[in-house]
Amino acid sequence: MNIYSIKISPNRPFNQSELTYLMERCGILSKKALALDYIKECTYDYDEKDESFTFDFLCVHNKNFSLKIVKDDRSDNFIFSMQKYEKWAVLRKDFIKALEVINTLHTQSHE
């Protein structure tokens, strides 16, 4: 597996090196989210059965929300599919953009 790639087969479980890589990337992504001035808390968890990573957030507006990174091809505004990205850096950028959009929506709801 190319260290910068996340092209992982959806038809088999993660192997140990893939899972280790993804856990490291999610740890870094969690720290990046916490560095944003509108995120108060960020935790993430790996669901072995679903083979997904769920990130739970508390924003400065005291609202809780979650974003999910999944191995299969499901996706929407809150779910990011590894199958739709060649590189982790692109997924990370879209993930951070989603946090910005959510922050904008939360800010507008308080105006």
Side-chain angles (χ1 to χ4, degrees), residues 11-26:
N11 301 323
R12 62 166 175 72
F14 290 128
N15 65 39
Q16 191 57 49
S17 67
E18 290 167 340
L19 187 55
T20 299
Y21 172 76
L22 291 169
M23 293 296 280
E24 289 172 0
R25 297 292 107 194
C26 286

Side-chain angles (χ1 to χ4, degrees), residues 50-103:
D50 192 34
E51 291 190 302
S52 65
F53 298 87
T54 301
F55 289 77
D56 296 311
F57 299 95
L58 175 64
C59 73
V60 294
H61 305 292
N62 289 321
K63 293 188 178 186
N64 292 300
F65 62 95
S66 296
L67 296 177
K68 195 173 216 176
I69 298 175
V70 298
K71 185 166 100 172
D72 58 35
D73 61 358
R74 294 175 286 158
S75 68
D76 65 22
N77 292 335
F78 300 101
I79 298 175
F80 297 83
S81 168
M82 290 182 216
Q83 301 306 312
K84 299 198 184 304
Y85 293 91
E86 287 283 330
K87 303 213 176 285
W88 182 266
V90 178
L91 186 151
R92 182 185 67 229
K93 242 188 239 181
D94 285 353
F95 192 93
I96 297 296
K97 279 184 200 171
L99 291 176
E100 292 169 2
V101 168
I102 291 167
N103 177 59

Side-chain angles (χ1 to χ4, degrees), residues 23-37:
M23 293 296 280
E24 289 172 0
R25 297 292 107 194
C26 286
I28 293 167
L29 185 53
S30 175
K31 288 177 185 169
K32 285 188 178 295
L34 277 171
L36 300 170
D37 60 353

